[in-house]
PDB file of all heavy atoms in Angstrom:
ATOM      1  N   LYS A  72     -17.124  31.270  -8.568  1.00 97.00           N
ATOM      2  CA  LYS A  72     -17.795  30.277  -7.707  1.00 97.00           C
ATOM      3  C   LYS A  72     -17.372  28.863  -8.099  1.00 97.00           C
ATOM      4  O   LYS A  72     -17.085  28.033  -7.226  1.00 97.00           O
ATOM      5  CB  LYS A  72     -19.311  30.432  -7.834  1.00 97.00           C
ATOM      6  CG  LYS A  72     -20.105  29.456  -7.013  1.00 97.00           C
ATOM      7  CD  LYS A  72     -21.593  29.685  -7.201  1.00 97.00           C
ATOM      8  CE  LYS A  72     -22.384  28.636  -6.451  1.00 97.00           C
ATOM      9  NZ  LYS A  72     -23.827  28.773  -6.676  1.00 97.00           N
ATOM     10  N   ILE A  73     -17.305  28.594  -9.395  1.00 97.00           N
ATOM     11  CA  ILE A  73     -16.861  27.277  -9.867  1.00 97.00           C
ATOM     12  C   ILE A  73     -15.422  27.029  -9.418  1.00 97.00           C
ATOM     13  O   ILE A  73     -15.079  25.946  -8.933  1.00 97.00           O
ATOM     14  CB  ILE A  73     -16.985  27.188 -11.404  1.00 97.00           C
ATOM     15  CG1 ILE A  73     -18.442  27.293 -11.833  1.00 97.00           C
ATOM     16  CG2 ILE A  73     -16.353  25.886 -11.925  1.00 97.00           C
ATOM     17  CD1 ILE A  73     -18.638  27.550 -13.323  1.00 97.00           C
ATOM     18  N   MET A  74     -14.579  28.057  -9.561  1.00 98.00           N
ATOM     19  CA  MET A  74     -13.175  27.942  -9.163  1.00 98.00           C
ATOM     20  C   MET A  74     -13.049  27.675  -7.665  1.00 98.00           C
ATOM     21  O   MET A  74     -12.245  26.840  -7.232  1.00 98.00           O
ATOM     22  CB  MET A  74     -12.413  29.209  -9.548  1.00 98.00           C
ATOM     23  CG  MET A  74     -12.323  29.434 -11.044  1.00 98.00           C
ATOM     24  SD  MET A  74     -11.651  31.063 -11.466  1.00 98.00           S
ATOM     25  CE  MET A  74      -9.891  30.702 -11.333  1.00 98.00           C
ATOM     26  N   ASP A  75     -13.833  28.378  -6.867  1.00 98.00           N
ATOM     27  CA  ASP A  75     -13.802  28.205  -5.417  1.00 98.00           C
ATOM     28  C   ASP A  75     -14.220  26.783  -5.035  1.00 98.00           C
ATOM     29  O   ASP A  75     -13.616  26.158  -4.162  1.00 98.00           O
ATOM     30  CB  ASP A  75     -14.708  29.246  -4.757  1.00 98.00           C
ATOM     31  CG  ASP A  75     -14.601  29.255  -3.247  1.00 98.00           C
ATOM     32  OD1 ASP A  75     -13.468  29.216  -2.726  1.00 98.00           O
ATOM     33  OD2 ASP A  75     -15.647  29.327  -2.580  1.00 98.00           O
ATOM     34  N   ASN A  76     -15.248  26.273  -5.704  1.00 98.00           N
ATOM     35  CA  ASN A  76     -15.690  24.902  -5.432  1.00 98.00           C
ATOM     36  C   ASN A  76     -14.588  23.897  -5.748  1.00 98.00           C
ATOM     37  O   ASN A  76     -14.346  22.968  -4.968  1.00 98.00           O
ATOM     38  CB  ASN A  76     -16.948  24.561  -6.229  1.00 98.00           C
ATOM     39  CG  ASN A  76     -18.198  25.167  -5.641  1.00 98.00           C
ATOM     40  OD1 ASN A  76     -18.286  25.416  -4.450  1.00 98.00           O
ATOM     41  ND2 ASN A  76     -19.180  25.426  -6.492  1.00 98.00           N
ATOM     42  N   ILE A  77     -13.921  24.070  -6.871  1.00 98.00           N
ATOM     43  CA  ILE A  77     -12.847  23.143  -7.251  1.00 98.00           C
ATOM     44  C   ILE A  77     -11.697  23.226  -6.249  1.00 98.00           C
ATOM     45  O   ILE A  77     -11.155  22.198  -5.818  1.00 98.00           O
ATOM     46  CB  ILE A  77     -12.362  23.420  -8.692  1.00 98.00           C
ATOM     47  CG1 ILE A  77     -13.370  22.878  -9.689  1.00 98.00           C
ATOM     48  CG2 ILE A  77     -10.979  22.823  -8.954  1.00 98.00           C
ATOM     49  CD1 ILE A  77     -13.544  21.362  -9.681  1.00 98.00           C
ATOM     50  N   ALA A  78     -11.306  24.442  -5.850  1.00 98.00           N
ATOM     51  CA  ALA A  78     -10.237  24.591  -4.856  1.00 98.00           C
ATOM     52  C   ALA A  78     -10.621  23.879  -3.562  1.00 98.00           C
ATOM     53  O   ALA A  78      -9.794  23.200  -2.944  1.00 98.00           O
ATOM     54  CB  ALA A  78      -9.941  26.069  -4.592  1.00 98.00           C
ATOM     55  N   GLY A  79     -11.869  24.017  -3.163  1.00 98.00           N
ATOM     56  CA  GLY A  79     -12.342  23.346  -1.956  1.00 98.00           C
ATOM     57  C   GLY A  79     -12.290  21.833  -2.077  1.00 98.00           C
ATOM     58  O   GLY A  79     -11.861  21.141  -1.155  1.00 98.00           O
ATOM     59  N   ILE A  80     -12.699  21.311  -3.218  1.00 97.00           N
ATOM     60  CA  ILE A  80     -12.677  19.861  -3.427  1.00 97.00           C
ATOM     61  C   ILE A  80     -11.245  19.333  -3.362  1.00 97.00           C
ATOM     62  O   ILE A  80     -10.983  18.305  -2.734  1.00 97.00           O
ATOM     63  CB  ILE A  80     -13.350  19.500  -4.771  1.00 97.00           C
ATOM     64  CG1 ILE A  80     -14.855  19.747  -4.678  1.00 97.00           C
ATOM     65  CG2 ILE A  80     -13.039  18.055  -5.167  1.00 97.00           C
ATOM     66  CD1 ILE A  80     -15.571  19.712  -6.017  1.00 97.00           C
ATOM     67  N   VAL A  81     -10.327  20.051  -3.998  1.00 97.00           N
ATOM     68  CA  VAL A  81      -8.912  19.640  -3.958  1.00 97.00           C
ATOM     69  C   VAL A  81      -8.449  19.511  -2.509  1.00 97.00           C
ATOM     70  O   VAL A  81      -7.821  18.516  -2.129  1.00 97.00           O
ATOM     71  CB  VAL A  81      -8.024  20.651  -4.728  1.00 97.00           C
ATOM     72  CG1 VAL A  81      -6.547  20.424  -4.438  1.00 97.00           C
ATOM     73  CG2 VAL A  81      -8.297  20.567  -6.219  1.00 97.00           C
ATOM     74  N   CYS A  82      -8.771  20.506  -1.702  1.00 97.00           N
ATOM     75  CA  CYS A  82      -8.277  20.517  -0.320  1.00 97.00           C
ATOM     76  C   CYS A  82      -9.003  19.520   0.572  1.00 97.00           C
ATOM     77  O   CYS A  82      -8.394  18.955   1.484  1.00 97.00           O
ATOM     78  CB  CYS A  82      -8.346  21.933   0.237  1.00 97.00           C
ATOM     79  SG  CYS A  82      -7.177  23.020  -0.616  1.00 97.00           S
ATOM     80  N   VAL A  83     -10.275  19.283   0.320  1.00 97.00           N
ATOM     81  CA  VAL A  83     -10.992  18.243   1.065  1.00 97.00           C
ATOM     82  C   VAL A  83     -10.381  16.881   0.747  1.00 97.00           C
ATOM     83  O   VAL A  83     -10.208  16.044   1.639  1.00 97.00           O
ATOM     84  CB  VAL A  83     -12.505  18.276   0.750  1.00 97.00           C
ATOM     85  CG1 VAL A  83     -13.199  17.005   1.228  1.00 97.00           C
ATOM     86  CG2 VAL A  83     -13.154  19.503   1.388  1.00 97.00           C
ATOM     87  N   LYS A  84     -10.031  16.656  -0.515  1.00 95.00           N
ATOM     88  CA  LYS A  84      -9.384  15.400  -0.888  1.00 95.00           C
ATOM     89  C   LYS A  84      -8.054  15.234  -0.155  1.00 95.00           C
ATOM     90  O   LYS A  84      -7.698  14.128   0.250  1.00 95.00           O
ATOM     91  CB  LYS A  84      -9.149  15.340  -2.407  1.00 95.00           C
ATOM     92  CG  LYS A  84     -10.428  15.111  -3.195  1.00 95.00           C
ATOM     93  CD  LYS A  84     -10.212  15.270  -4.684  1.00 95.00           C
ATOM     94  CE  LYS A  84      -9.436  14.134  -5.288  1.00 95.00           C
ATOM     95  NZ  LYS A  84      -9.376  14.235  -6.777  1.00 95.00           N
ATOM     96  N   HIS A  85      -7.337  16.337   0.042  1.00 95.00           N
ATOM     97  CA  HIS A  85      -6.038  16.268   0.707  1.00 95.00           C
ATOM     98  C   HIS A  85      -6.172  16.085   2.220  1.00 95.00           C
ATOM     99  O   HIS A  85      -5.461  15.282   2.818  1.00 95.00           O
ATOM    100  CB  HIS A  85      -5.215  17.519   0.402  1.00 95.00           C
ATOM    101  CG  HIS A  85      -3.858  17.495   1.025  1.00 95.00           C
ATOM    102  ND1 HIS A  85      -2.856  16.654   0.594  1.00 95.00           N
ATOM    103  CD2 HIS A  85      -3.337  18.195   2.063  1.00 95.00           C
ATOM    104  CE1 HIS A  85      -1.777  16.829   1.331  1.00 95.00           C
ATOM    105  NE2 HIS A  85      -2.054  17.766   2.239  1.00 95.00           N
ATOM    106  N   THR A  86      -7.072  16.834   2.833  1.00 95.00           N
ATOM    107  CA  THR A  86      -7.187  16.816   4.299  1.00 95.00           C
ATOM    108  C   THR A  86      -8.172  15.789   4.827  1.00 95.00           C
ATOM    109  O   THR A  86      -8.120  15.443   6.003  1.00 95.00           O
ATOM    110  CB  THR A  86      -7.634  18.195   4.832  1.00 95.00           C
ATOM    111  OG1 THR A  86      -8.957  18.472   4.344  1.00 95.00           O
ATOM    112  CG2 THR A  86      -6.668  19.287   4.434  1.00 95.00           C
ATOM    113  N   LYS A  87      -9.090  15.360   3.972  1.00 95.00           N
ATOM    114  CA  LYS A  87     -10.190  14.475   4.396  1.00 95.00           C
ATOM    115  C   LYS A  87     -11.034  15.153   5.471  1.00 95.00           C
ATOM    116  O   LYS A  87     -11.567  14.508   6.370  1.00 95.00           O
ATOM    117  CB  LYS A  87      -9.680  13.119   4.910  1.00 95.00           C
ATOM    118  CG  LYS A  87      -8.721  12.407   3.999  1.00 95.00           C
ATOM    119  CD  LYS A  87      -9.388  11.896   2.772  1.00 95.00           C
ATOM    120  CE  LYS A  87      -8.469  10.995   1.988  1.00 95.00           C
ATOM    121  NZ  LYS A  87      -8.156  11.485   0.671  1.00 95.00           N
ATOM    122  N   GLY A  88     -11.120  16.494   5.379  1.00 96.00           N
ATOM    123  CA  GLY A  88     -11.866  17.242   6.384  1.00 96.00           C
ATOM    124  C   GLY A  88     -12.446  18.527   5.834  1.00 96.00           C
ATOM    125  O   GLY A  88     -12.507  18.737   4.623  1.00 96.00           O
ATOM    126  N   THR A  89     -12.846  19.391   6.721  1.00 97.00           N
ATOM    127  CA  THR A  89     -13.479  20.657   6.382  1.00 97.00           C
ATOM    128  C   THR A  89     -12.439  21.698   5.999  1.00 97.00           C
ATOM    129  O   THR A  89     -11.396  21.813   6.654  1.00 97.00           O
ATOM    130  CB  THR A  89     -14.291  21.175   7.593  1.00 97.00           C
ATOM    131  OG1 THR A  89     -15.240  20.175   7.956  1.00 97.00           O
ATOM    132  CG2 THR A  89     -14.999  22.474   7.281  1.00 97.00           C
ATOM    133  N   VAL A  90     -12.730  22.448   4.949  1.00 98.00           N
ATOM    134  CA  VAL A  90     -11.851  23.538   4.529  1.00 98.00           C
ATOM    135  C   VAL A  90     -12.691  24.774   4.217  1.00 98.00           C
ATOM    136  O   VAL A  90     -13.870  24.663   3.896  1.00 98.00           O
ATOM    137  CB  VAL A  90     -10.984  23.165   3.300  1.00 98.00           C
ATOM    138  CG1 VAL A  90     -10.089  21.976   3.592  1.00 98.00           C
ATOM    139  CG2 VAL A  90     -11.841  22.906   2.078  1.00 98.00           C
ATOM    140  N   VAL A  91     -12.063  25.926   4.346  1.00 98.00           N
ATOM    141  CA  VAL A  91     -12.707  27.198   3.990  1.00 98.00           C
ATOM    142  C   VAL A  91     -11.736  28.015   3.146  1.00 98.00           C
ATOM    143  O   VAL A  91     -10.522  27.859   3.242  1.00 98.00           O
ATOM    144  CB  VAL A  91     -13.135  28.009   5.231  1.00 98.00           C
ATOM    145  CG1 VAL A  91     -14.233  27.290   5.997  1.00 98.00           C
ATOM    146  CG2 VAL A  91     -11.956  28.311   6.134  1.00 98.00           C
ATOM    147  N   THR A  92     -12.308  28.900   2.353  1.00 98.00           N
ATOM    148  CA  THR A  92     -11.499  29.801   1.539  1.00 98.00           C
ATOM    149  C   THR A  92     -11.028  30.951   2.406  1.00 98.00           C
ATOM    150  O   THR A  92     -11.825  31.610   3.070  1.00 98.00           O
ATOM    151  CB  THR A  92     -12.323  30.360   0.362  1.00 98.00           C
ATOM    152  OG1 THR A  92     -12.882  29.264  -0.355  1.00 98.00           O
ATOM    153  CG2 THR A  92     -11.469  31.226  -0.550  1.00 98.00           C
ATOM    154  N   ALA A  93      -9.725  31.192   2.409  1.00 96.00           N
ATOM    155  CA  ALA A  93      -9.168  32.309   3.166  1.00 96.00           C
ATOM    156  C   ALA A  93      -8.788  33.475   2.262  1.00 96.00           C
ATOM    157  O   ALA A  93      -8.823  34.621   2.690  1.00 96.00           O
ATOM    158  CB  ALA A  93      -7.934  31.849   3.943  1.00 96.00           C
ATOM    159  N   ARG A  94      -8.439  33.168   1.001  1.00 95.00           N
ATOM    160  CA  ARG A  94      -7.907  34.224   0.154  1.00 95.00           C
ATOM    161  C   ARG A  94      -7.910  33.757  -1.302  1.00 95.00           C
ATOM    162  O   ARG A  94      -7.728  32.584  -1.588  1.00 95.00           O
ATOM    163  CB  ARG A  94      -6.486  34.506   0.617  1.00 95.00           C
ATOM    164  CG  ARG A  94      -5.767  35.603  -0.039  1.00 95.00           C
ATOM    165  CD  ARG A  94      -4.361  35.714   0.582  1.00 95.00           C
ATOM    166  NE  ARG A  94      -3.619  36.709  -0.123  1.00 95.00           N
ATOM    167  CZ  ARG A  94      -3.380  37.931   0.316  1.00 95.00           C
ATOM    168  NH1 ARG A  94      -3.804  38.281   1.502  1.00 95.00           N
ATOM    169  NH2 ARG A  94      -2.716  38.786  -0.401  1.00 95.00           N
ATOM    170  N   VAL A  95      -8.099  34.719  -2.198  1.00 95.00           N
ATOM    171  CA  VAL A  95      -7.950  34.470  -3.625  1.00 95.00           C
ATOM    172  C   VAL A  95      -6.961  35.500  -4.149  1.00 95.00           C
ATOM    173  O   VAL A  95      -7.126  36.698  -3.921  1.00 95.00           O
ATOM    174  CB  VAL A  95      -9.290  34.594  -4.385  1.00 95.00           C
ATOM    175  CG1 VAL A  95      -9.093  34.316  -5.867  1.00 95.00           C
ATOM    176  CG2 VAL A  95     -10.339  33.675  -3.787  1.00 95.00           C
ATOM    177  N   ASP A  96      -5.907  35.020  -4.820  1.00 90.00           N
ATOM    178  CA  ASP A  96      -4.862  35.905  -5.321  1.00 90.00           C
ATOM    179  C   ASP A  96      -4.724  35.779  -6.834  1.00 90.00           C
ATOM    180  O   ASP A  96      -4.917  34.703  -7.392  1.00 90.00           O
ATOM    181  CB  ASP A  96      -3.504  35.541  -4.700  1.00 90.00           C
ATOM    182  CG  ASP A  96      -3.434  35.933  -3.247  1.00 90.00           C
ATOM    183  OD1 ASP A  96      -3.449  37.146  -2.981  1.00 90.00           O
ATOM    184  OD2 ASP A  96      -3.381  35.042  -2.391  1.00 90.00           O
ATOM    185  N   GLU A  97      -4.359  36.880  -7.417  1.00 86.00           N
ATOM    186  CA  GLU A  97      -3.975  36.932  -8.823  1.00 86.00           C
ATOM    187  C   GLU A  97      -5.029  36.360  -9.751  1.00 86.00           C
ATOM    188  O   GLU A  97      -4.711  35.689 -10.731  1.00 86.00           O
ATOM    189  CB  GLU A  97      -2.635  36.218  -9.043  1.00 86.00           C
ATOM    190  CG  GLU A  97      -1.491  36.864  -8.303  1.00 86.00           C
ATOM    191  CD  GLU A  97      -0.162  36.171  -8.538  1.00 86.00           C
ATOM    192  OE1 GLU A  97       0.016  35.520  -9.584  1.00 86.00           O
ATOM    193  OE2 GLU A  97       0.702  36.288  -7.661  1.00 86.00           O
ATOM    194  N   ILE A  98      -6.304  36.636  -9.448  1.00 94.00           N
ATOM    195  CA  ILE A  98      -7.327  36.176 -10.381  1.00 94.00           C
ATOM    196  C   ILE A  98      -7.192  37.018 -11.644  1.00 94.00           C
ATOM    197  O   ILE A  98      -7.114  38.244 -11.582  1.00 94.00           O
ATOM    198  CB  ILE A  98      -8.746  36.225  -9.804  1.00 94.00           C
ATOM    199  CG1 ILE A  98      -9.692  35.512 -10.758  1.00 94.00           C
ATOM    200  CG2 ILE A  98      -9.190  37.636  -9.514  1.00 94.00           C
ATOM    201  CD1 ILE A  98     -10.950  35.023 -10.116  1.00 94.00           C
ATOM    202  N   GLU A  99      -7.081  36.323 -12.740  1.00 95.00           N
ATOM    203  CA  GLU A  99      -6.881  37.018 -14.008  1.00 95.00           C
ATOM    204  C   GLU A  99      -7.884  36.492 -15.023  1.00 95.00           C
ATOM    205  O   GLU A  99      -7.997  35.284 -15.238  1.00 95.00           O
ATOM    206  CB  GLU A  99      -5.455  36.802 -14.505  1.00 95.00           C
ATOM    207  CG  GLU A  99      -5.110  37.684 -15.673  1.00 95.00           C
ATOM    208  CD  GLU A  99      -3.638  37.663 -16.030  1.00 95.00           C
ATOM    209  OE1 GLU A  99      -2.816  37.220 -15.199  1.00 95.00           O
ATOM    210  OE2 GLU A  99      -3.313  38.069 -17.146  1.00 95.00           O
ATOM    211  N   PHE A 100      -8.617  37.427 -15.630  1.00 96.00           N
ATOM    212  CA  PHE A 100      -9.576  37.093 -16.671  1.00 96.00           C
ATOM    213  C   PHE A 100      -8.868  37.243 -18.014  1.00 96.00           C
ATOM    214  O   PHE A 100      -8.523  38.349 -18.417  1.00 96.00           O
ATOM    215  CB  PHE A 100     -10.784  38.025 -16.592  1.00 96.00           C
ATOM    216  CG  PHE A 100     -11.629  37.808 -15.371  1.00 96.00           C
ATOM    217  CD1 PHE A 100     -11.280  38.368 -14.146  1.00 96.00           C
ATOM    218  CD2 PHE A 100     -12.772  37.033 -15.440  1.00 96.00           C
ATOM    219  CE1 PHE A 100     -12.044  38.165 -13.016  1.00 96.00           C
ATOM    220  CE2 PHE A 100     -13.557  36.823 -14.315  1.00 96.00           C
ATOM    221  CZ  PHE A 100     -13.192  37.385 -13.104  1.00 96.00           C
TER     222      PHE A 100
END
Side-chain angles (χ1 to χ4, degrees):
K72 179 180 176 184
I73 296 166
M74 295 171 83
D75 187 45
N76 283 333
I77 284 295
I80 290 168
V81 167
C82 293
V83 166
K84 287 171 72 173
H85 181 71
T86 64
K87 309 290 189 242
T89 303
V90 300
V91 294
T92 306
R94 184 180 175 103
V95 180
D96 288 293
E97 297 181 25
I98 190 158
E99 190 170 343
F100 291 82

